[in-house]
Amino acid sequence: MSDRLTNAGAPRDVGVLGGGRMGAGIAHAFLLAGSRVTVVERDADAAAAARARVLESVAASVARGTADEGAEAIGARFAVSTEVGAFATCGLVVEAVPEQLELKIDALTRVEAVLADDAALASNTSSISIDELATLLERPSRFLGMHFFNPVPASALVEIVRGRATEPTLVDASRDWVRAIGKTPIVVADAPGFASSRLGVVLGLEAIRMLESGVASAEDIDQAMTLGYKHPVGPLRLTDLVGLDVRLGIAEYLASTLGERFEPPTLMRRMVAEGKLGRKTGEGFYVWDTP
């Protein structure tokens, strides 16, 4: 297996399905660890946008002095495609498509069909059951969750989600891969929302309810947590960063599996309907200078 790893210990060939903010960040992390990375997108325009997004992120790391190679050398190991067949030689593929069950099942089954039997397939889902996703896969033992956090380059954590069928050796290997890209792994058993989303979303939902009922302003609610509890960012600002639409989808899934305590507040639904999704649209609980 050592010949299939980079010097840092990451898989030598990595695929990422989806080149949005999260997918691009995952690609960036493995590129800096010496991997050859291929991002597959739905069409040529999306693939070109993913290429620009990843290379811009790589250039920023080089400029900050946090990369061991120059941008040209790193870029030479990066490719984009519109065909999942480009993943055929990958030892690991991470699915990073939007948080919709049907979309993820379709994506995962298409990718698995082109992979070698011993390749690893991971989902970046932040809430959907790994066991539920695994039911339609041919090789559930080679499947697990690898939940990265936004923004990936700056985050220190990857949540590894172990399904009932996941091989223990794959869990061990994934811990090593996470350490190889300079992050800390935690391992959790499959459960709705895992550990991070379940805790983070319940805090965010309660903060929205407090804002909705006039308990305090968004700024003061956030400061209660940043100054009072030493959180690095408040729950409402964090919701803006993640995206209100993303958190709404997670909350709806958790409400359907864990009960009404995760039911999204009316304010959250209204803001999503109005297109106030947070930083990516320029307005959420805060006004942002640039989307």
Side-chain angles (χ1 to χ4, degrees):
M1 181 67 178
S2 60
D3 62 335
R4 299 182 64 181
L5 300 177
T6 69
N7 290 337
R12 188 166 298 282
D13 290 282
V14 174
V16 181
L17 184 65
R21 182 184 295 273
M22 291 302 299
I26 294 166
H28 168 274
F30 281 102
L31 282 167
L32 263 60
S35 300
R36 292 186 292 255
V37 177
T38 300
V39 169
V40 169
E41 262 289 4
R42 64 185 181 278
D43 55 41
D45 288 344
R51 176 187 291 278
R53 198 173 288 120
V54 172
L55 293 180
E56 181 181 356
S57 180
V58 166
S61 290
V62 172
R64 288 193 298 268
T66 56
D68 294 333
E69 304 170 275
E72 185 175 348
I74 297 172
R77 297 196 306 275
F78 176 55
V80 297
S81 178
T82 59
E83 301 293 335
V84 294
F87 292 148
T89 61
C90 290
L92 167 67
V93 174
V94 182
E95 165 272 307
V97 303
E99 196 77 352
Q100 299 169 20
L101 178 61
E102 296 79 8
L103 184 61
K104 286 190 180 291
I105 289 174
D106 175 69
L108 290 165
T109 53
R110 286 190 297 114
V111 171
E112 186 191 44
V114 305
L115 296 181
D117 289 349
D118 63 345
L121 179 59
S123 176
N124 183 51
T125 180
S126 54
S127 63
I128 297 173
S129 167
I130 292 300
D131 288 330
E132 184 173 4
L133 292 172
T135 56
L136 296 178
L137 296 178
E138 295 293 328
R139 298 183 295 278
S141 64
R142 301 300 298 165
F143 176 63
L144 78 169
M146 291 183 72
H147 177 206
F148 291 78
F149 291 78
N150 185 28
V152 177
S155 70
L157 178 69
V158 176
E159 187 176 36
I160 297 169
V161 186
R162 181 185 69 244
R164 285 194 298 269
T166 306
E167 292 176 355
T169 54
L170 179 57
V171 175
D172 292 340
S174 67
R175 282 194 186 99
D176 293 338
W177 299 338
V178 169
R179 295 187 184 104
I181 61 174
K183 302 188 186 301
T184 299
I186 63 169
V187 177
V188 301
D190 184 43
F194 317 133
S196 60
S197 292
R198 188 165 170 177
L199 290 169
V201 168
V202 75
L203 180 61
L205 294 177
E206 190 60 27
I208 297 170
R209 294 187 189 101
M210 291 169 64
L211 180 66
E212 188 175 46
S213 61
V215 171
S217 67
E219 293 85 352
D220 286 348
I221 291 170
D222 278 351
Q223 284 197 328
M225 302 311 295
T226 58
L227 300 181
Y229 288 86
K230 305 302 181 185
H231 288 201
V233 61
L236 296 173
R237 184 173 292 273
L238 180 59
T239 300
D240 268 9
L241 293 172
V242 172
L244 273 79
D245 54 334
V246 174
R247 281 211 147 174
L248 175 60
I250 296 171
E252 289 176 333
Y253 177 77
L254 293 178
S256 72
T257 54
L258 294 175
E260 63 182 14
R261 68 187 185 277
F262 287 97
E263 180 62 31
T266 301
L267 174 61
M268 186 182 205
R269 293 189 183 278
R270 184 171 74 244
M271 290 176 68
V272 171
E274 293 172 352
K276 297 177 180 178
L277 307 183
R279 183 175 65 175
K280 60 187 172 185
T281 60
E283 184 178 1
F285 297 109
Y286 295 85
V287 175
W288 300 83
D289 291 337
T290 55

